[in-house]
Each structure stands twice: as C-alpha cells, then as structure tokens.
C-alpha cells in the first residue's frame, strides 16, 4: 500500500518457450447473403427510419397480394374491398398519402382520380424485399406524409446458380365451409433467377 509496482511484459517467442502456434486460419465469406441477412443490413445502414423485410419472411403468400404481406409489419393499416386487401395506409393517414414505388420508381394509380394505389396491380412474386419507410429523406415524394412503401424487385445476382420455382395454390374462404359452396380460387407462381455471366442475368 502506498507504493508503485512496475511489471514488465515481454511479447514474442523466447528461448525455451513452449507456446502453441496455431495453423493458418482463413476467414471466408460469400457475397451471396441470405434474403433475411440482406434485409437486416439494409435496415441497419438506412439513412431514415424504415423496416426492411425479405419477401419470404412470413411464409407462403397464396395469392401474391402485397397487403397480405405488409399487414404483419407494425404501423401498417390495410383497406379492404370485398374481403381482399386493396390499399395501404401508414401512420393513420389515408391511402392517398402512402405512395408505393418499385425500385424507387413510383407506381401510377389505376383507380381513377385518386393517388391511392390498388394492390391488385402488384404481385409479390416479383419482389425480393419490402421497405416500409416512416421518415422521409429529401428525395422522398412530397405526399408521403405518413410514410411510403418501396418494393425491391428480384435480381438474377441474388443466386450463384440458376433457380427455378413453380408453385400452385388453392384458396377458399372460411364462409364457404358453412355455406357448402366450396368455391376455390386457384393461384400459380412461376419464377426464374438466372445469372448468365458476372454482369448479365435475368429474373
């Protein structure tokens, strides 16, 4: 107590040292990340507040409806027409204030004199990620008051080898069981991701 103690450390191999030298260890990584890992990294390094989800994160989507996918994301409200999701609202604002883009390019509304995007115009089958943005950047649309939805299209370079997918679905509503009408709605999904060269591919 009350004194200073000095301890000298020597690094490196000395005579008579019986330390164990490990063999060479190489850290390997791949540029082909999983869809979930890519979405997490996109969300982490975003300049604004947004939620990024891989298109296959919530399991199979039988009719490819975008609304049936984004309804699992917090802060998103759907509008329904005939029992089917038709519009998206963020932050409690009307669908007219929620623009939808694909790779940053705005989708035009086909619902008449309104900016509300009808979800039956979009198929989730062609998308790799869904980005729900809650705070806007300077380049965001001016009418995206509550937020916006950006869809990231599939790319051939997501895979190292060609990938082909074929799926078939049959959908019916629970009321059909009690009414014994058994009205089935068929749905099909076909997709191909083909990287031809390092710089050319198609999806």
């Amino acid at each position: 107590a009350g004194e200073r103690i000095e301890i000298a450390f020597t690094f490196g191999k000395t005579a008579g040292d019986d330390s164990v030298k490990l063999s060479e260890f190489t850290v390997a990584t791949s540029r082909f990340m999983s869809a979930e890992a890519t979405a997490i990294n996109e969300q982490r390094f975003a300049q604004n507040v947004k939620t990024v989800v891989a298109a296959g994160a919530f399991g199979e989507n039988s009719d490819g409806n975008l609304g049936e996918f984004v309804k699992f994301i917090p802060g998103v409200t759907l509008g329904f027409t005939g029992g089917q999701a038709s519009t998206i609202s963020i932050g409690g604002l009307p669908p007219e204030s929620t623009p939808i883009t694909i790779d940053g390019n705005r989708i035009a509304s086909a619902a008449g004199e309104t900016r509300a995007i009808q979800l039956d115009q979009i198929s989730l089958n062609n998308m790799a990620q869904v980005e729900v943005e809650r705070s806007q950047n300077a380049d965001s649309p001016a009418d995206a008051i509550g937020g916006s939805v950006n869809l990231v299209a599939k790319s051939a370079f997501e895979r190292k080898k060609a990938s082909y997918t074929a799926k078939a679905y049959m959908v019916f509503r629970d009321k059909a069981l009690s009414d014994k009408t058994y009205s089935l709605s068929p749905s099909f999904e076909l997709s191909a991701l083909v990287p031809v060269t390092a710089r050319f591919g198609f999806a």
Side-chain angles (χ1 to χ4, degrees):
E3 296 181 0
R4 184 175 66 182
I5 298 177
E6 294 184 2
I7 301 177
F9 293 92
T10 302
F11 296 95
K13 192 175 180 69
T14 59
D17 188 4
D18 58 352
S19 59
V20 178
K21 181 180 179 181
L22 297 178
S23 58
E24 181 179 349
F25 180 79
T26 303
V27 178
T29 185
S30 173
R31 67 186 181 94
F32 299 99
M33 303 173 63
S34 66
E36 290 80 7
T38 304
I40 291 173
N41 279 334
E42 181 71 23
Q43 181 172 316
R44 285 178 56 203
F45 297 104
Q47 296 179 350
N48 55 350
V49 180
K50 68 178 179 179
T51 303
V52 184
V53 184
F58 300 139
E60 300 293 339
N61 191 318
S62 58
D63 56 358
N65 189 311
L66 175 63
E68 295 297 329
F69 178 83
V70 299
K71 70 180 181 182
F72 296 107
I73 300 176
V76 176
T77 306
L78 300 180
F80 289 88
T81 302
Q84 185 177 15
S86 58
T87 58
I88 296 177
S89 301
I90 299 177
L93 294 168
E96 293 82 359
S97 300
T98 306
I100 301 177
T101 59
I102 297 179
D103 291 333
N105 300 310
R106 186 152 184 167
I107 301 175
S109 174
E113 297 180 359
T114 177
R115 292 187 176 184
I117 305 299
Q118 299 296 315
L119 299 182
D120 54 5
Q121 305 175 43
I122 311 166
S123 175
L124 190 64
N125 177 38
N126 303 322
M127 307 305 160
Q129 293 178 359
V130 177
E131 302 174 348
V132 177
E133 302 187 8
R134 293 178 173 81
S135 65
Q136 305 304 314
N137 293 328
D139 59 347
S140 299
D143 59 341
I145 303 172
S148 60
V149 178
N150 182 46
L151 307 174
V152 180
K154 287 182 178 179
S155 170
F157 304 108
E158 295 175 6
R159 300 286 187 270
K160 193 173 183 178
K161 298 180 180 179
S163 173
Y164 303 93
T165 305
K167 298 178 182 179
Y169 304 95
M170 294 296 268
V171 183
F172 66 91
R173 306 200 179 280
D174 54 355
K175 191 176 180 182
L177 292 177
S178 59
D179 296 345
K180 296 184 179 180
T181 55
Y182 303 106
S183 177
L184 300 178
S185 300
S187 180
F188 304 94
E189 177 182 330
L190 300 173
S191 65
L193 299 176
V194 184
V196 181
T197 65
R199 295 189 176 184
F200 173 75
F202 61 89

